[in-house]
Amino acid sequence: MPGPRVYSLDEVNELVPRLAEVFARVDEIKEALRVLHIRLNALELIWGRALRESTNPDHGEFTSYVTEMKTLEDEVEKLTQGIAKLSGQVKSVDPPLVDFYGVRDGHLVLWCWTRGEERIEHWHHVDTGFASRQHV
């Protein structure tokens, strides 16, 4: 089984617009999840454990919110797995942070992208992280 893909700087820069699109969708999902969480909390404050009983008048609303949250969480997982299929390592979704393998001066490195960067502007050694990023 082959290992992860190793990108040239030009190749990985071609992926940046796609990363921005993915994380724009993740942001939309996070906002929807935030609203659902507030609604669930309100119902739980009103009803407590009784909310989980099928006879509760708000039980249907509760289960609908829980189902919608699960669907949205699954979509975030699918989006991040799409990046993983490109050999990207999603280090964080908040803030978005993705690493891709590359080679710099004959050494294996990680090209490092975060929101707001229109191209790969940083890299770091494979045994270090974000705090050790260096300019390309």
Side-chain angles (χ1 to χ4, degrees):
M1 177 189 247
R5 177 160 177 197
V6 176
Y7 286 90
S8 71
L9 185 56
D10 289 337
E11 289 171 332
V12 77
N13 275 325
E14 291 176 14
L15 299 177
V16 170
R18 187 171 180 178
L19 296 175
E21 289 173 11
V22 165
F23 285 103
R25 178 62 187 139
V26 169
D27 286 345
E28 292 169 0
I29 294 169
K30 286 186 336 191
E31 176 59 19
L33 286 168
R34 185 188 69 77
V35 170
L36 288 168
H37 189 19
I38 290 169
R39 291 177 181 170
L40 276 173
N41 282 343
L43 288 175
E44 288 175 338
L45 285 170
I46 294 167
W47 295 105
R49 292 182 188 263
L51 182 60
R52 288 169 170 67
E53 297 173 12
S54 61
T55 56
N56 184 289
D58 285 332
H59 180 74
E61 185 176 359
F62 166 76
T63 58
S64 173
Y65 292 158
V66 170
T67 300
E68 188 174 351
M69 287 178 79
K70 175 69 171 128
T71 300
L72 291 170
E73 290 165 352
D74 288 347
E75 186 177 348
V76 170
E77 180 67 22
K78 183 178 176 184
L79 289 166
T80 58
Q81 286 302 313
I83 293 170
K85 287 181 182 175
L86 299 170
S87 295
Q89 301 172 29
V90 178
K91 301 294 185 167
S92 172
V93 294
D94 192 17
L97 180 60
V98 181
D99 288 342
F100 292 90
Y101 284 104
V103 175
R104 181 174 170 86
D105 299 328
H107 298 281
L108 187 65
V109 299
L110 291 168
W111 302 122
C112 186
W113 176 86
T114 192
R115 171 174 289 135
E117 297 174 348
E118 295 179 14
R119 56 187 299 105
I120 301 296
E121 297 177 6
H122 297 89
W123 65 277
H124 57 83
H125 294 285
V126 295
D127 59 346
T128 64
F130 185 85
S132 298
R133 291 187 347 148
Q134 299 179 44
H135 257 319
V136 171

